[in-house]
Amino acid sequence: MKTPISIKRGAVAAIFIDLQEEHRQDQRYLVHGYEKILANVQRLQAAARASGVPLYHWAYIVDLGAQDRPFHPVEADGKSAFSDKDDPLSAICHEVAPADGEALRIKAEASAFRSGPAAGELKARGIEWLVVAGVWTEACIDASVKDAVASGFRVLLVKDACGSGSAAMHQTAILNLANRLYGGAVTDTDGACRLLSGESVTAWQVEGSVPLRFTYENAARLYGEL
């Protein structure tokens, strides 16, 4: 259901996950509507910076020389088939790259919060809400959101600032997350920017367990109603 929400100043951080060039340039890993997603992320970042909200950036990087990945897909030269540490396309897209003073964190797994100090650092800063954007919705966004919720954060999932390989993949992934986004909310970029600036907005919040039962036929409509 949709309910009015607001976020206390000083208790929110903005999280940007895997917004890398390979999703724009590598034909195997293109994200559907990526340019629009990047434009929405730019708006989120500008709103966060204007309101003094801390920004955290992640990139997925594969280093097969240092990581144990027995079934990982590789190229003929033995390098990772995606996100290889030496591939220039693993760089964050320039228009959404960290600004001065904003750290870029490297992760070697889907979730930004499965390991490492990030969750503890955010807790120590008094952060309660995480505004989440990035790619791919059913993979790294899904894993990061679920681990964030398990760590006690409220997640504001910005649906049109996330994406995947197709609209259907993205929409069903958002619906799956919305069904289990306990303590959090789903909104669009407009709503998220207003919340970051201290306004109250009406956003979708889960009530009960798994209220959204979707099919091939109605998934796009339900997604649009979030």
Side-chain angles (χ1 to χ4, degrees):
M1 66 177 182
K2 288 194 174 183
T3 55
I5 66 169
S6 59
I7 298 177
K8 182 174 66 176
R9 285 188 178 274
V12 57
I15 306 298
F16 302 99
I17 296 174
D18 301 352
L19 293 162
Q20 292 160 259
E21 279 290 346
E22 62 190 333
H23 307 305
R24 173 156 58 188
Q25 298 190 48
D26 190 326
Q27 292 297 313
R28 300 168 298 173
Y29 307 119
L30 298 180
V31 166
H32 175 77
Y34 200 36
E35 292 302 323
K36 179 62 174 176
I37 292 165
L38 293 175
N40 287 337
V41 168
Q42 285 184 283
R43 293 174 57 203
L44 285 175
Q45 292 180 344
R49 290 167 183 146
S51 296
V53 172
L55 282 72
Y56 291 78
H57 308 258
W58 270 267
Y60 186 95
I61 302 294
V62 178
D63 181 357
L64 291 177
Q67 300 161 5
D68 183 19
R69 295 171 177 261
F71 304 114
H72 190 84
V74 296
E75 303 281 19
D77 59 6
K79 292 185 177 182
S80 172
F82 57 88
S83 305
D84 188 85
K85 67 181 182 63
D86 296 321
D87 187 344
L89 296 186
S90 66
I92 298 292
C93 296
H94 66 89
E95 63 264 62
V96 295
D100 290 344
E102 297 171 0
L104 171 60
R105 297 170 180 266
I106 304 303
K107 61 186 180 68
E109 55 193 330
S111 174
F113 299 108
R114 181 65 51 85
S115 60
E121 291 175 3
L122 288 162
K123 288 283 189 183
R125 293 188 66 162
I127 300 299
E128 300 172 7
W129 279 89
L130 303 179
V131 177
V132 175
V135 299
W136 286 35
T137 318
E138 80 286 359
C140 294
I141 297 300
D142 180 274
S144 298
V145 166
K146 287 175 178 175
D147 281 344
V149 172
S151 296
F153 294 104
R154 297 182 184 272
V155 170
L156 182 71
L157 182 61
V158 188
K159 65 178 186 177
D160 58 351
C162 297
S164 188
S166 71
M169 292 167 70
H170 166 68
Q171 290 167 359
T172 53
I174 291 288
L175 290 170
N176 274 321
L177 279 171
N179 267 331
R180 296 164 179 84
L181 195 57
Y182 307 124
V186 181
T187 190
D188 58 12
T189 300
D190 288 338
C193 288
R194 290 173 59 196
L195 283 164
L196 286 169
S197 68
E199 295 183 46
S200 176
V201 305
T202 299
W204 195 91
Q205 293 188 288
V206 65
E207 184 180 58
S209 176
V210 194
L212 296 168
R213 296 182 181 271
F214 55 91
T215 65
Y216 291 117
E217 291 75 25
N218 71 4
R221 176 181 62 80
L222 289 173
Y223 171 86
E225 293 174 355
L226 290 175

